[in-house]
Structures are given as C-alpha cells and as structure tokens.
Amino acid sequence: MRLTIRGGRVIDPASNTDAVKDVVVEDGKIVELTPGLEGRGQKSKIQNPKSKIIDASGKWVVPGLIDMHTHLREPGHEYKETIKTGTLAAAAGGFTTICCMPNTDPVNDNRSITDYILKMAKEASYARVYPVGAISKGLKGESLAEFGELKEAGAIAVSDDGHPVMNSQLMRRALEYAKRFGLLVISHCEDLYLAGKGVMNEGVIATRLGLRGIPNAVEAGMVARDILLAEFTGGRLHVAHVSTEDSVRYIREAKKRGVPVTAETAPHYFSLTEEAVLDYDTNAKMSPPLRTKKDVAAICEGLRDGTIDVIASDHAPHSSLEKELEFDAAANGIVGLETSLSLSLKLVKDGILDPMSLVAKMSTNPAHILGIPAGVLKPGVSADLTIIDPEIPRTIDIHSFKSKSCNSPFDGWNLQGKSVLTMVEGSIVFEEM
Amino acid sequence: MDFVRKDILSVEELTGEEIELILDTADSMKEISHRDIKKVPTLRGKTIVYFFHEPSTRTKASFEIAAKRLSADTVSISASTSSIVKGETLIDTSKNLEAMNPDVIVIRHQASGAPHMIAKRVRASVINAGDGMHAHPTQALLDMMTVREKKGTLSGLRIAIVGDIAHSRVARSNIIGFTKMGSSVVVSGPPTMIPTGIESMGAKVVYSIEDAAREADVIMMLRIQKERLGDFLFPSDREYANFFGLTHEAVSKARKDALIMHPGPINRGVEIPPEIADGPQSVILDQVENGVAVRMALLYLLIGGSRHASDN
C-alpha cells in the first residue's frame, strides 16, 4: 500500500525542514519526501489501485507526537483507563508514542508487569507504548527495583512518579545504578514533608479558600537536590512537570554548567493559574499544583529559551469516585492526551514558540531524551506522523474524549488547531479530516 | 636486602623490592608446610597477639598456623570477649597488651586506620589484618604470590577486579600492589560500588564484566556483601548475579590461561557460579595455602633473626 500525503507543510526539527512537501509512505515506512512530486512517479501511483492520496494542503505534517508522561492505569485501575482506551486517546490527540508511568497495581517494578503492558499495547496497536519502570520496589522508596531486568523487558526509563524519592541516598544510588543500563531517571520533584497536607498552591487564593497551601519550595528544593545529584553521579535526570519559576531558574543554570538534566512541563502549567481552583473545582487539583501568573510566565520563558525541553501531558485519568469529592479528599491529576496539542498550539499563536520549536518539544526532543528511533521524518524511518490543522476552531468537549475519564478543567474551552490524522507505522490510527 | 620495617600496615608503604623480598621469603616458607613435621624453631620465645575486632575465618587461622609453624607463642583476643565490651578504648587496650611485651600485634578492625593508631603507640610490630575499607596488605601479598607463582611474573599483566570496589580493602590493596609491580588493573561493578576517584589509585573503570575480563590474565571476584542491601547499592542477589556476576562468557573473553581468584568467603551463585569457583582456572584454594606462607614470611622478616622490631 502506497500512500502520499500531498502538499502539507512538513515541519521536522530533526532535519531542520520547514517546507511544503509530499510525503510518500509505503509498507509502513516513509520512502520519499519531495517537493513537486506530481512531476514524476505520479502516473504509476495513480495506476496502482491500492495507492491513496491524502490532501494535506494548509496543514502541518510533523513527526508523530510523543508524550513521555502518561498514566494508563492498567493493570489495576481499568475503570479509569485501559491501555486500549489510553492509546486511543493518544491517537486522537496526535500522539504516536507515549510513555506510561509505573504507578499501576501491581506497580511496574518488574519484568512481568512491563511484559504485560507491552503485550496489551501491541494488541491495541493505536500508539507505541514505552513503559517507565519504578525506581524503588513497590514505589516505597526503600530499595532499588531491578533496573537491569526492567530494561531488558523494555522499560525506557525509571521513575517513582508521584511517590517522590525522599531518601537522598536512594536517589543518588538510583542515578548511579541507572547509568549502567543507560536508563533515564525521571523525577517528580516534591518534598513531601514540606508539602504536608497542602492541596493547592500556597498563596492568597489558598488563604481565601481556606485550603492548605503547597509552597513553591516544595518543588524547587527537590529540583535543586536532584540536579546536584545528577551532576555528582553523572546519571541522566529528567525533571517531570516543572511548575515553578525557581525550578526553571535552577534547571537553566544547571544546563549552562553541563549537568545531564532535561525537563518537561505540562500544558496546564502554562495555560492555567491557581485561580482555576476558585470554585473548589477538583479538576484543577493536581500535583504539582497550579501556580501563579509569575510562574506561568517563567514556564513560558523556559519553553522559549530551551530550558524546558519537552511538553508532556501528565495524562492522569480519574473517575468521579476520585474527583467528585471534597477538595481535600479528591485525587490529583487531569487527563491531557486529547487537549495537549490544542493547548500547546496556543503557544505558537501567542508568539512564545515557533512551529518548529513546538514540534521539537512534542516529538523530536522527547525522542532524543528517551533514545528512541522516532521524532524524525526521513526516508527509511517508520511512518509515524501526525497531520495537524493549526487553524481549525475547536471547542473542548470532555464527552467526546476517547479516554475513559473526563477529568479535565478545559471543558468548553474554545481553542484553535488540533490533530486531524495520526499514523503509526503507516497505519492510520486516527482520522478526522 | 635488609627488611627494616617495624610494622606492616599497607601495601602502599612497601617498595617493589620489599614486596619481592616478602614473596621470595614466602616461596621458601611454603616448603615448610609440606613437610611431615611442619614446624621450625625460628620464632621460639616470641609472642604474637591476635586482636580481631571483626569476624574472620581464613585470615585468623592462617596467621595462627603461620605463627605455630614458626614456633611462636600466640594469644588471641576478640572484641566480644575483650574489655572493649566493658568500655575500654582501643588505645588503652593496646597499651595494656603492650605492657605484657608481645613481639607482634596482629589486628583486624572495622575502622579504617585503627592499626595505624595502635602502631604509633606500641613498641611491638603491628600487622594490619584488615582495617575497614582501607587496606588488607597480607591478602594483597598472598594474591601477588599466587599470581607470580602461576604466571612467573608480576609485570605486564592485566588484572581485573570485579565487584564492590567501594567497600573493599582487598581491592584497594591489590590495585596498589599490582600496579606497583608493573601490571595494569581494571575494575568493574555496579556504578554504585565504584568509589569516586578510584582512577587516581591506578585503576581503570569499566562498567561491564565482559569489558573487564577482556584479555585479562587474572579475574579477581570480590564477595558481594549482602548486608549492603540496605545501602541501596544493588536491588537483589538475582539481579547482581545476572548483570555483575562472573559468567562463562566473561571468562571466555579473558586469556585462555587466566586465573580466577576470590579472597573468600564466596557467595556461590551470586558473584561467582560454583562451576567456575571449582573449575580448572580457579586458584582460590592456592590463595589460601599461600596465605600461610606469606604470613610466615612477614612474621619472620619482622621479628625473626637476631634483631627485634623495636630496635628499628
């Protein structure tokens, strides 16, 4: 089957391409990228009854988007999400590759869970799934998980996710031990003692609402610790969902020094502030919490100047059982796979990122950080790509989500731009053209 | 040459010539252990005190047998049966022992530097039988004796030391000893067990055991200390064996006549599979045999003959 994506604006940071080109896909691979393809070879394609042409004029054709921070909830919490529904949501959101965090039940701290996730993902086949293994057995922060075995089974990185490694000795050893297996260590930076029973950003709104606050130092303090440990051990550190001004500053300064650190933020940290909590909306409850305008500005600046390498959704499906509760009792997190791209496209509208940088943060950079053969459009590579309509108006409707959960604070938002076609290994896994 | 040292505290302080002399002496001492009557009168009338603050099977028995084969009188004190449990400081205990005029005090202690502290305060010769993570000179000497015996030389060899380098006094003493004698040392193990700056002691660091073993003349495996699990150094015995233990594949990368060594005690199935520990290339029990000879040589060189250690 030969397929030509015709006339789209091909944006591929890996090859520094931003030009109108035709992309020819055959047998799951990109075989050609050519301007003015009509002139040659077209005849034979038209004669081939199996050939197909997709008109992508006015649209962007980009390497398949990669979300390196999601939660697929399977095994253990299938009522919130399954690997099938999660990868469907990924495809709908324009993502061809996602990483899933290990906080399943049982925890992904061993080969059998990693095997299971990969098997289910293969069966679903809507997106490529790279499991992230646990840093500590059972996410308990007491002993190292078997990184070697996790890596052999297919884990791409290690993280204790929302159970931050409070024991600095364990974190040091994790960074050291991971080096032997080339594993990235992803850190959810949160000082649990300092966070205490806080449920939202500490500040005037928390005070007014009578909710316990979480100061910025909860995140920035651990960012600083982990940067120092990465610098000392040489282990590769990736800071998850950066939300504060201080964190951005520390990461910027560390990168200048050559520390092996990369960072991501999530769309909600540049789209919302703590004011979203004003109605005690539990869909605005997350960890780290939504911060202030000043922090949002710092996140945008971090994205702009390259301090923040990646936009990842931190897709965290929860059902009404976890969310329709008192604010104090509600679970942290929001779904993000199906809103991430539209929210991020706003950065381009607002002049914070150019299209090339946006694609880099949602595809090229995560591929590079994870060390996976993705995030590039060139002949010979697997045809993992996303077609984006950057102008089409879109009203977020949580009921249209492919995800099993709809815990999103963006319901009803009017945005511009979305993915209209998602292709994994030459197969169209989502199409709304 | 004359051997004029009062103490044996580390390999670092010994010159290449002194190491050669010790090994030459040990070679001749070895013969005594093969006699029908395994005893010579060389150290008759000399008193040796063993002061062991840490568990030991091999080293203690080896010293005891070495002293007895040279006809010395020996007294053994362990931490649990000494006045240390009553709160006496190490210095006070040493001074009290000194007052009984021993010729040699052999000490093993969990604190690095403890033998040095005692050596400064007593007239007797002090032999370090292992201090903390610092040094184990008699082990390194018996290892060098074994390698020299099998290879005919100590120079130009490639020695791979594999395991918990960070916590190993055996590794430190062997790195210093073998490089001093003209061989190269490569170390390997989980990155959590490779100490900062070990390169400055002359060792090259590689991460995989295959790389360490490549073209090696000697593969020396270190005991994995299970009590270290609490320090987050490795996840499990199983994963250690899978990724850091010795394998037939690694052995096949080494020279055909490579020696397999281990200071003991062995964790069979963790750092070394039983069939390699017991296989034809293994010299683990030769190491133990040579331990007696090396310790006889050291006792003889320190207090044998007419001179007394305190004269120096």
Side-chain angles (χ1 to χ4, degrees), chain B residues 10-286:
Chain B
S10 70
V11 176
E12 204 160 15
E13 69 198 11
L14 298 173
T15 64
E17 290 77 28
E18 284 173 316
I19 291 171
E20 294 280 2
L21 175 63
I22 293 165
L23 300 188
D24 291 345
T25 310
D27 283 346
S28 52
M29 289 290 175
K30 189 169 177 177
E31 178 266 330
I32 295 169
S33 295
H34 288 273
R35 292 182 192 170
D36 192 28
I37 308 233
K38 304 176 186 60
K39 207 174 185 73
V40 293
T42 316
L43 296 187
R44 202 165 51 191
K46 304 286 187 184
T47 308
I48 297 166
V49 174
Y50 300 122
F51 195 18
F52 276 62
H53 266 247
E54 256 190 359
S56 168
T57 306
R58 249 161 305 273
T59 306
K60 197 169 168 190
S62 181
F63 265 112
E64 185 82 25
I65 288 169
K68 293 215 153 104
R69 286 192 180 152
L70 295 173
S71 301
D73 298 314
T74 63
V75 178
S76 182
I77 299 161
S78 68
S80 56
T81 56
S82 73
S83 294
I84 299 280
V85 294
K86 299 176 185 168
E88 190 170 51
T89 67
L90 187 59
I91 290 172
D92 281 337
T93 307
S94 316
K95 283 183 177 162
N96 278 276
L97 288 172
E98 171 77 355
M100 298 181 225
N101 292 309
D103 297 284
V104 178
I105 298 174
V106 178
I107 179 169
R108 165 169 290 191
H109 202 282
Q110 70 276 10
S112 300
H116 306 65
M117 188 178 88
I118 292 173
K120 272 186 240 164
R121 289 171 170 84
V122 299
R123 277 172 289 121
S125 287
V126 173
I127 300 180
N128 180 2
D131 64 321
M133 308 187 302
H134 171 240
H136 196 348
T138 62
Q139 178 72 42
L141 288 163
L142 73 87
D143 288 338
M144 287 189 276
M145 177 181 176
T146 308
V147 171
R148 193 177 77 158
E149 192 177 82
K150 307 286 177 189
K151 297 284 173 197
T153 179
L154 284 176
S155 81
L157 301 175
R158 179 175 159 99
I159 315 287
I161 305 180
V162 181
D164 186 354
I165 309 298
H167 298 91
S168 175
R169 54 196 176 211
V170 176
R172 283 180 177 76
S173 290
N174 271 317
I175 290 168
I176 293 167
F178 279 103
T179 51
K180 188 169 279 186
M181 301 311 286
S183 287
S184 66
V185 177
V186 53
V187 299
S188 165
T192 48
M193 295 179 174
I194 305 294
T196 310
I198 191 72
E199 297 87 349
S200 72
M201 291 173 69
K204 186 178 169 226
V205 178
V206 296
Y207 280 147
S208 86
I209 190 164
E210 282 81 15
D211 288 345
R214 189 162 289 124
E215 295 298 307
D217 297 284
V218 172
I219 302 174
M220 185 183 295
M221 300 303 295
L222 300 176
R223 180 173 79 95
I224 192 68
Q225 294 164 286
K226 296 185 185 191
E227 58 272 23
R228 300 256 174 239
L229 267 170
D231 299 338
F232 315 126
L233 299 176
F234 64 110
S236 62
D237 287 357
R238 196 172 65 105
E239 176 144 309
Y240 191 91
N242 282 343
F243 292 97
F244 306 104
L246 190 56
T247 59
H248 292 284
E249 201 197 335
V251 173
S252 74
K253 299 263 194 299
R255 288 183 184 277
K256 281 205 168 46
D257 58 352
L259 307 175
I260 308 296
M261 303 178 77
H262 193 303
I266 294 176
N267 288 308
R268 285 176 182 266
V270 184
E271 70 267 6
I272 188 167
E275 64 275 16
I276 297 180
D278 303 332
Q281 288 172 266
S282 168
V283 294
I284 294 171
L285 295 177
D286 301 73

Side-chain angles (χ1 to χ4, degrees), chain A residues 319-370:
Chain A
S319 77
S320 58
L321 296 175
E322 292 84 26
K323 280 296 192 183
E324 291 182 15
L325 295 171
E326 307 88 307
F327 199 87
D328 281 343
N332 286 313
I334 63 170
V335 289
L337 279 167
E338 292 168 84
T339 51
S340 184
L341 175 60
S342 297
L343 291 164
S344 301
L345 281 165
K346 197 166 180 299
L347 295 172
V348 178
K349 297 270 170 229
D350 294 345
I352 292 160
L353 294 180
D354 57 26
M356 186 81 97
S357 310
L358 179 73
V359 176
K361 287 181 201 301
M362 298 188 78
S363 182
T364 328
N365 295 351
H368 182 71
I369 291 165
L370 296 165

